[in-house]
Amino acid sequence: MSLLRCGLLYVLVLCQSFAAKDVWYRGGFAFLQQSADVEVIVLDAASDASEVLPNYTSGMVDVSGPLGAGARFLASNGAKFAFEGPGKFSVERFEERYSNDRSESDAKFLQTHMILGFQAGTLMVDSRSLNQDSLIVVETPVGRVSMTSALWMIEIKYHSRNQAYNVEIECFDGDLRLSDTRGAVYALSAGRRLSGVGAAASITLEITEGTEGFQERITAFESVEDVYSAADLERQLFRLRSLADASTRASEGEWLSNDSPPVIIEYAPARRYTTPFRGEIKPLSG
C-alpha cells in the first residue's frame, strides 16, 4: 500500500510540475489597416495607440468610428478581425496560455480566451486557426455570441427613435451560438443567417439561409490575406504581457490608470424584476 501511495504521490507531483510551466499572457493586436476617422483607445498604460501601421497594441482596446470608417487587425492568437462603422466595440478580456515562457523555443500555444463588447456597426471574425480548447465571446445588446473556430460576421444597427435594434448574424464556416437576453439559444452553422428587429429584451430572431450581399463582404474580408500574412511574420512584436506581472503592476497602481473602465469577467443575464406582494393583516382574535 505504501508503494502505491508513493507512486500516486510521484505522479501528482510530476503533473503539478508540468502544469506549473503553463504561462498565461494578456494578448495583443496589430492594427494593419485603419481609416483616419477610426479611434483606437488603449485601455492600459503599457502601450499607446500609434498612427504608424502596423500599430501593435495591448489586448485591451476600445475601437469606434462613424459611417464609412473601418479597420482590419490581427490578434496575437491568430484570429483576424475587421470593423466597419458607425459603431463601437471593446476588448474586455484577452488571454493566451503557453506551455512555458513564450520566449523559449519550445513554447507551445495551448489556448486562448477573449471577451468582446460589441455595441453597433459591423464586425467580421475569422477564428478558424484556434483550437477546440479556445473560446471567443462577443457580448451584444441582444445577447451573447460564442464560438471557437468559425468565419462569421455580425451587423447591429440601433434606431434611437423607437429604441430598437436591427441585428444580422451570418456564419460562413464553422459553428457559433447566440444566447439572447431571455435565455433562448440559437445555433448557426455554415450558410445560415440569424436576423431580427426589436428591443434588446424582447427582440424576435429567425434563422434563414445566408444572403448574397453578406457573402460578397466576407469574400472581400478574406481577399486581404496578404495583409494579415505580412504581420504574421512579425509575431515577436506583439505586446504580450505575463498576467502575473500585470496583476502585480495593477496592484501597485503602475499599469492600469484609475479612470480605466471596469473589466467584464463573465456574462451575467439581466435580473428579473420582483413583483411586489400586498398582504393583509387580520385583527387579533380573543
Side-chain angles (χ1 to χ4, degrees), residues 274-281:
T274 302
T275 303
F277 174 78
R278 182 177 180 180
E280 182 180 355
I281 300 178

Side-chain angles (χ1 to χ4, degrees), residues 26-32 40-42 47-48 54-63 72-82 89-96 112-116 123 136 231 234-235 237-240:
R26 172 166 289 166
F29 291 104
F31 283 81
L32 311 177
V40 178
I41 299 176
V42 182
S47 60
D48 299 316
N55 173 24
Y56 292 89
T57 74
S58 78
M60 303 289 288
V61 294
D62 272 349
V63 182
R72 298 179 186 273
F73 48 103
L74 176 68
S76 53
N77 58 19
K80 304 166 187 175
F81 299 86
F89 79 94
S90 59
V91 180
E92 298 161 349
R93 183 169 176 174
F94 184 4
E95 302 163 352
E96 297 180 20
T112 183
H113 298 152
M114 297 182 75
I115 298 180
L116 283 69
L123 185 66
I136 296 180
E234 300 180 292
R235 286 190 175 273
L237 297 180
F238 280 98
R239 299 188 177 185
L240 272 67

Side-chain angles (χ1 to χ4, degrees), residues 50-194:
S50 171
E51 296 182 356
V52 179
L53 299 177
N55 173 24
Y56 292 89
T57 74
S58 78
M60 303 289 288
V61 294
D62 272 349
V63 182
S64 60
L67 180 65
R72 298 179 186 273
F73 48 103
L74 176 68
S76 53
N77 58 19
K80 304 166 187 175
F81 299 86
F83 166 74
E84 297 175 1
K88 176 183 179 180
F89 79 94
S90 59
V91 180
E92 298 161 349
R93 183 169 176 174
F94 184 4
E95 302 163 352
E96 297 180 20
R97 184 166 69 95
Y98 286 80
S99 57
N100 50 27
D101 192 296
R102 64 186 297 269
S103 63
E104 301 293 334
S105 59
D106 61 342
K108 295 181 180 180
F109 173 83
L110 299 177
Q111 66 180 139
T112 183
H113 298 152
M114 297 182 75
I115 298 180
L116 283 69
F118 180 61
Q119 298 299 318
T122 301
L123 185 66
M124 289 170 270
V125 182
D126 185 355
S127 62
R128 292 176 293 180
S129 62
L130 303 185
N131 56 35
Q132 293 301 311
D133 293 326
S134 301
L135 180 66
I136 296 180
V137 173
V138 180
E139 302 286 0
T140 77
V142 300
R144 171 182 58 184
V145 182
S146 57
M147 86 297 308
T148 295
S149 177
L151 172 64
W152 66 286
M153 67 181 293
I154 178 172
E155 185 173 73
I156 298 180
K157 298 177 182 178
Y158 179 66
H159 307 281
S160 57
R161 185 173 181 178
N162 55 1
Q163 298 183 337
Y165 289 92
N166 188 324
V167 179
E168 295 185 80
I169 303 175
E170 191 150 344
C171 182
F172 301 91
D173 193 6
D175 301 279
L176 55 93
R177 297 193 312 166
L178 180 136
S179 302
D180 69 15
T181 55
R182 293 169 293 181
V185 178
Y186 302 84
L188 280 183
S189 56
R192 307 293 284 176
R193 172 174 174 260
L194 180 68

Side-chain angles (χ1 to χ4, degrees), residues 253-273:
E254 296 180 1
W255 192 33
L256 298 178
S257 59
N258 293 330
D259 57 350
S260 296
V263 178
I264 297 177
I265 301 302
E266 298 294 347
Y267 171 82
R271 292 184 176 181
R272 296 180 178 271
Y273 291 106

